[in-house]
Amino acid sequence: MEYNDYREKIGLIKQGTLSLTSNVEGFLSRIEKEKHLNAFNFVFKDAVERASEIENKILEGKAGKAAGLVVAVKDNISIKNKPLSCSSKILENFQPVYTATAVQKLLDEDAIIIGKTNCDEFAMGSSNENSAFGPVLNPYDNSRVPGGSSGGSAVAVAANLCDVALGSDTGGSIRQPAAFCGVYGLKPTYGRVSRYGLTAFASSFDTIGPFAKNLNDLTLLLNIISGYDEKDSTSQKSGEINLTENVSKSTIKIGLPKEYFGEGLNPEIKTRIEEIINRLPSDNFEIIDISLPHTEYAIATYYILTTAEASSNLARYDGVRYGFRSKDSATLKDMYENTRTEGFGKEVKRRIMLGTYVLSSGYYDAYYRKAQKARRLFKEDFINAFKQADILLTPTTPTTAFKIGEKSTDPLEMYLSDIYTTSANLAGIPALNIPVGFDANGLPIGMQLMAPELKEPELLNAAYLINKFL
Ligand code: GLN
C-alpha cells in the first residue's frame, strides 16, 4: 500500500488517488495471505462497509482526525458485541457489552477496526506461545517468536496487515514485541490512556499503547487515545503532542544507565546501539553515564507484584459470569474448580499460584510488602536519573527474536527477556521502542528511550531527532 504514513494516506484519499474501500480490502486479503503468521484471533470483514461510509465522510469534509486509519486491536481490549478472548479458553464465546475508551475514541474519530490480535493468554508472556489460538510467527523468520504478549499486534503492523495497532504493556508487552518485529511501540505513562475496557492483569502496571511503522502515526494514535476518563480513576489529563515542536532548540541530555549494557546483552545489539550513540552530534546531544542501582531486582519485584495483582484480578473467571463453563460438575465448588482447571493455560495457573502465595498471610510481609517497598526504590532511581538526564537510552531487549520453543520450558529464562522493560512499569514512566536495524541473521534490533512521567512530548521529539542519525 503505497503511502508512508497516515498524513500521506489521507492526502491520497482526498485527491481521489486511493480508494479507502480497496485499501481495507487489500489489508483483508493480506491477512488471508499471511494467515500462517496467526496474528489475528478475529478478523472483521464488515470493515469494508465502514470504509465506504467513512470514505464519503472524508470526501464531504466531515470526517474525524483518524478517518480511514486501519487499526488492529489486541484481543484483551473490549469492543462491544465483538469477541473478547484474551487468547484464553476461559473466555470462549464471550462478547463484552461495552467498548474500551481507547477504542471508542478511535471510532469517534472515524478509524476502522480490522480485527482482534492474538496475544499471550491474559497478556502473560514474552513470546506469544501462551495462547489458546496457537503461537504467532515472527514475519522475519517464521521459526522464531514475535515477542509477547502483544505479538499479534506487532506482527500485524510489521507484516503490513493494518496501518497501526493497539497493544497493552504491563512489563514490556508492547516494547519487546515491537523490538522483535522491527516496529515502533510505546508504553505510555501509567494513566495517560484510560484502562477502561482493558482486561485487568496487574492493574497498577497495565497500560494501553500504540504500535506503528513510523513516529507520525504513533503520535497520532497516542494523541487520540490519551486523556482523562471518568471511568478510570487512575487516568490523567495530558496535552496534545506535536512532533515538530521544540526540536533541537537546546541540547538533549541522554543518560546511559550502565546496568543496561552489562552482562547478558547480545554483543551485536550493544555494538549497534553504541554506533548510534557515537553518531549523535554534540551540538544537539550530551551523553551522560548514569546508574539505576536497583535494576537487578526489577524482574523479581515485578513478578511478585504482578502475580499478586493477577491472582486477585483473575478470581472473577469462575464459570458463572464469563465465557466457558466446565460441564458435568456435581457441586458448585466442583464447577468453579473444573472451569478454572480446564479454562486457564499453564502460565496463567502458575501466576495465580505464585500470586496467591505471596499474598498469603504467612508470606505477605516477606514478599508482597517487601516488593512494594522495592517498587518505591525503582521510582527513586528514576527520579535521581532524571535530575541528570532528560531521556534515558538503553537496549529494549537483551537478545533479538528467539526460536519458538527455545524458552517455553524454562519460565525463569523467559522472564529474563523483559529485563530492560519492566522497570518503566514499576516506575510508571513512558518508554518507547525504536527499530534501529538488524543483526547478522536479519532479525530486527530495538532501542529503548525512557522519559519522566507525562513527558511523552519530550520522549517522542527526542526519538524524532535521533531518527535522523540512524
Ligand atoms: N512478559 C511480561 C510478563 O510475562 C510482560 C507482560 C506484559 O507486559 N503484559 O508478565
Side-chain angles (χ1 to χ4, degrees), residues 88-161:
S88 180
K89 185 176 174 195
I90 213 158
L91 282 174
E92 205 166 61
N93 300 324
F94 174 69
Q95 292 202 351
V97 293
Y98 61 87
T99 296
T101 300
V103 174
Q104 192 57 52
K105 284 175 177 253
L106 284 165
L107 293 173
D108 293 346
E109 295 295 345
D110 294 322
I112 298 171
I113 311 295
I114 198 149
K116 304 291 294 287
T117 55
N118 199 343
C119 55
D120 284 297
E121 187 178 4
F122 287 103
M124 297 175 188
S126 310
S127 66
N128 221 124
E129 291 167 292
N130 308 329
S131 164
F133 291 76
V136 179
L137 312 186
N138 190 307
Y140 285 91
D141 175 347
N142 291 175
S143 69
R144 292 178 188 267
V145 305
S149 63
S150 316
S153 290
V155 170
V157 173
N160 199 21
L161 312 179

Side-chain angles (χ1 to χ4, degrees), residues 123-126 149 169-173 201 302-303 351 418:
M124 297 175 188
S126 310
S149 63
D169 192 312
T170 301
S173 280
F201 159 14
Y302 170 83
Y303 276 95
R351 302 219 186 177
D418 294 314

Side-chain angles (χ1 to χ4, degrees), residues 1 7 24 99 123 146 171 205 215 218 264 277 344 362 426 435-436 441 443:
M1 270 142 239
R7 220 180 298 174
V24 170
T99 296
F205 292 74
L215 275 178
L218 186 103
I277 296 165
F344 285 136
L426 283 159
V436 292
N441 294 323
L443 300 170

Side-chain angles (χ1 to χ4, degrees), residues 121-122 124 314 344-352:
E121 187 178 4
F122 287 103
M124 297 175 188
L314 271 60
F344 285 136
K346 225 171 158 183
E347 181 62 25
V348 172
K349 284 180 193 154
R350 179 181 293 127
R351 302 219 186 177
I352 293 173

